[in-house]
Amino acid sequence: MEQYEPDSLSAAQTAAIRRSLTSGRGALTRRSMLRAGGVGALTVGGLASLSACGIPPAKREGQGPASTDASATEKTLAFSNWTEYMDVSEDEKSRPTLEAFAKRTGIKVKYTEDINDNVEFFGKIKPQLAAGQDTGRDLICVTDWLAARMIRLGWVQKLDPANLPNAYANLSAQFRRPDWDPGRSYSYPWTGISTVIAYNSKATGGKKVDSVTQLLDDPALKGRVGFLTEMRDSVGMTLLDLGKDPGDFTDADYDAAIGRLQKGVDKKQIRRFTGNDYTSDLDKGDIAACLAWAGDIIQLQADNPDIKFSIPSAGYITSSDNLLVPAQARHKTNAEKFIDYYYELPVAAQLAAYINYVCPVDGVKDELARIDPELANNTLILPDKAMAKKSHAFRSLTSAEETAYEEKFAKLIGA
């Protein structure tokens, strides 16, 4: 059987998945932590779904096959999402924005929290997609690397802009043009995920830490610095510090970033590479400064006023979780109405107030302030224009690049 390039996993990629499962963002619930691209559960089914010989896709290069849309007669929508990634009432008995959507449109949403990680979920739906069958889902939410893969395979339906006026108008500029879906023809972000610098001001003696150069070279931080086991985060932030664009870099640029990090390892500036477990060390001050995920910082700051964050002048890495309509889904128009609904400012604010991730909806600040002024002023949830301009996405990788890059990164961190 023919083995398709986007579906194969090298030993290095498998190791990256294992790291994320055991300590990285892939091991965690959506409300408590974040995930990086290219990670997921290390299960027999999950790995087989990506590495076994595959059924040829119906079409390639984003030409997703059109399905019969039953939205006009069937007022229903099946949406698969991550756990704790939707607002819930205080008594935990209802989902306010979902119920308001159903009341307004008459569309009943079958909402299922059946995504625990990207790889495992892809394993569930791949056989049906590859066979040109309906997955039973009209809308899914996956991280950008998997969204890119599904679009490339032709397993996603192209969205109708006529049904997305709010989404088109209100999408933040920093999320408009990912290299895997320029102009957002097939996807819209549900949330953004930011990688920044965090530090414990008590542990640094009040000193601000605001660059990767400082993390790697400041002798006062020696042995108390953390980087992340997620390649795109650690290498991406280092590329920026070297003056390179993570969205457009060469093999030589990548090697330079690896070499820069290797020096930090060799001179014992870097204490260790971590997954989410950096949070306890940062809280205690055992790690004075590190790369961190924005959602962690918001939670840590609630209990520890010494936890600070900074956005390097060189910029920071942003990824996203994205809404897609699978090929052969029966209710595409209903799904588009749902996407557009969550780009209405009051609705977007209500969702952001609950999940505390980067809101991809522009102009939502006043609405969020009515709910919680503190959240409305938190740039980790609503980046201001200056911060948004510093946002960079790590470019899509070919299978060969990902294999080579993960091998070099695994050697660096001793995985």
Side-chain angles (χ1 to χ4, degrees), residues 14 29 33 45 65 85 100 133 142 152 158 201 205 208 214 217 223 246 263 275 345 394 396 399:
T14 299
T29 65
M33 295 293 165
Y85 222 20
Q133 300 172 351
V142 297
R152 188 164 59 243
K158 191 171 185 178
S201 60
K208 182 178 182 180
Q214 191 175 357
D217 293 339
K263 290 181 180 178
L345 301 187
F394 198 96
S396 299
S399 182

Side-chain angles (χ1 to χ4, degrees), residues 61-76:
E61 298 302 327
Q63 298 300 313
S67 65
T68 300
D69 191 350
S71 295
T73 57
E74 297 177 8
K75 297 298 183 181
T76 185

Side-chain angles (χ1 to χ4, degrees), residues 143-411:
T143 306
D144 42 20
W145 73 269
L146 181 54
R149 176 174 294 178
M150 292 182 66
I151 292 170
R152 188 164 59 243
L153 287 169
W155 291 346
V156 178
Q157 296 191 51
K158 191 171 185 178
L159 301 173
D160 184 351
N163 294 327
L164 297 159
N166 291 304
Y168 182 82
N170 295 336
L171 177 61
S172 295
Q174 72 182 100
F175 295 103
R176 283 190 177 271
R177 296 176 181 84
D179 64 354
W180 46 269
D181 186 18
R184 292 289 181 179
S185 296
Y186 297 89
S187 68
Y188 269 90
W190 183 247
T191 55
I193 302 168
S194 298
T195 302
V196 297
I197 292 177
Y199 60 99
N200 185 318
S201 60
K202 185 176 181 180
T204 65
K207 179 188 294 186
K208 182 178 182 180
V209 181
D210 59 5
S211 71
V212 170
T213 291
Q214 191 175 357
L215 289 176
L216 291 174
D217 293 339
D218 187 342
L221 300 176
K222 184 174 181 177
R224 298 188 297 153
V225 169
F227 277 74
L228 295 166
T229 56
E230 304 294 356
M231 181 268 287
R232 288 167 176 80
D233 292 319
S234 287
V235 174
M237 292 290 281
T238 306
L239 282 168
L240 285 167
D241 192 68
L242 290 171
K244 304 298 181 179
D245 182 359
D248 184 20
F249 62 88
T250 65
D251 289 347
D253 296 333
Y254 184 88
D255 289 344
I258 290 291
R260 183 85 171 91
L261 290 167
Q262 186 65 59
K263 290 181 180 178
V265 172
D266 294 343
K267 67 181 183 181
K268 302 188 185 310
Q269 180 79 5
I270 298 174
R271 180 185 181 95
R272 61 192 181 105
F273 290 82
T274 73
N276 68 289
D277 48 324
Y278 70 83
T279 55
S280 60
D281 282 349
L282 181 64
D283 188 46
K284 292 183 294 184
D286 292 340
I287 285 180
C290 61
L291 297 188
W293 296 308
D296 298 358
I297 301 169
I298 294 172
Q299 294 174 44
L300 287 171
Q301 287 179 328
D303 298 317
N304 186 346
D306 293 326
I307 302 301
K308 312 291 183 183
F309 79 93
S310 62
I311 306 299
S313 60
Y316 66 103
I317 293 293
T318 297
S319 57
S320 57
D321 283 332
N322 308 275
L323 300 172
L324 305 171
V325 178
Q328 302 300 331
R330 287 178 50 81
H331 308 103
K332 175 174 173 285
T333 300
N334 291 346
E336 290 166 339
K337 290 179 179 178
F338 184 88
I339 295 171
D340 200 58
Y341 168 75
Y342 277 92
Y343 274 78
E344 294 180 11
L345 301 187
V347 180
Q350 192 168 347
L351 180 67
Y354 182 80
I355 66 175
N356 293 173
Y357 287 80
V358 178
C359 181
V361 182
D362 196 22
V364 77
K365 185 171 184 176
D366 288 346
E367 293 291 344
L368 186 55
R370 293 186 178 95
I371 300 171
D372 189 327
E374 185 175 347
L375 292 180
N377 290 314
N378 192 325
T379 54
L380 293 178
I381 297 174
L382 295 182
D384 56 25
K385 290 183 178 180
M387 181 173 170
K389 286 182 179 179
K390 295 181 179 180
S391 170
H392 297 265
F394 198 96
R395 70 170 172 82
S396 299
L397 302 177
T398 66
S399 182
E401 284 177 327
E402 187 161 6
T403 297
Y405 292 172
E406 286 289 2
E407 286 176 350
K408 292 174 181 179
F409 188 70
K411 182 179 179 180

